[in-house]
Amino acid sequence: MSVDAGRVQVITGPNFSGKSCYVKQVGIIVLLAHIGSFVPAEEAVIGVTDRIFTRIVSTDANSLPQSTFMTDLTQMATMLRSATPQ
């Protein structure tokens, strides 16, 4: 990703293709870099980050009268509303 690229990237793919694992791994690497820990890379340039968002499915979500797609949209809207310029 270049410096001039957008700040939001959409990851798509079929079900069970590892999208969630990839996003969670990136979040953990960002957190490790911010606390000064080892990151699995030859070089890492990570900007200032004040929040890391990820979607975690819980068993409580199954009891809601919403489709999975609507639940995803609601969670994404909450993340975008809570996002900052950092």
Side-chain angles (χ1 to χ4, degrees), residues 7-8 34 47-53 76-86:
R7 296 186 58 126
V8 175
H34 278 293
V48 177
T49 305
D50 63 351
R51 297 168 191 212
I52 299 172
F53 298 106
M76 183 57 70
T78 301
M79 291 178 203
L80 291 174
R81 277 195 305 272
S82 301
T84 65
Q86 298 298 330

Side-chain angles (χ1 to χ4, degrees), residues 1-3 26 29-30 33-34 39 41-49:
M1 184 165 119
S2 70
V3 176
V26 169
I29 291 170
V30 169
H34 278 293
V39 295
E42 290 182 16
E43 183 178 331
V45 178
I46 298 175
V48 177
T49 305

Side-chain angles (χ1 to χ4, degrees), residues 8-73:
V8 175
Q9 293 187 343
V10 177
I11 300 173
T12 63
N15 292 341
F16 300 103
S17 64
K19 299 178 298 289
S20 295
C21 290
Y22 175 75
V23 171
K24 290 173 187 173
Q25 179 179 336
V26 169
I28 290 170
I29 291 170
V30 169
L31 176 64
L32 290 173
H34 278 293
I35 63 172
S37 183
F38 168 80
V39 295
E42 290 182 16
E43 183 178 331
V45 178
I46 298 175
V48 177
T49 305
D50 63 351
R51 297 168 191 212
I52 299 172
F53 298 106
T54 186
R55 187 177 83 77
I56 301 174
V57 179
S58 67
T59 56
D60 296 338
N62 295 334
S63 64
L64 297 174
Q66 290 183 339
S67 68
T68 303
F69 182 68
M70 187 62 190
T71 302
D72 290 346
L73 289 179

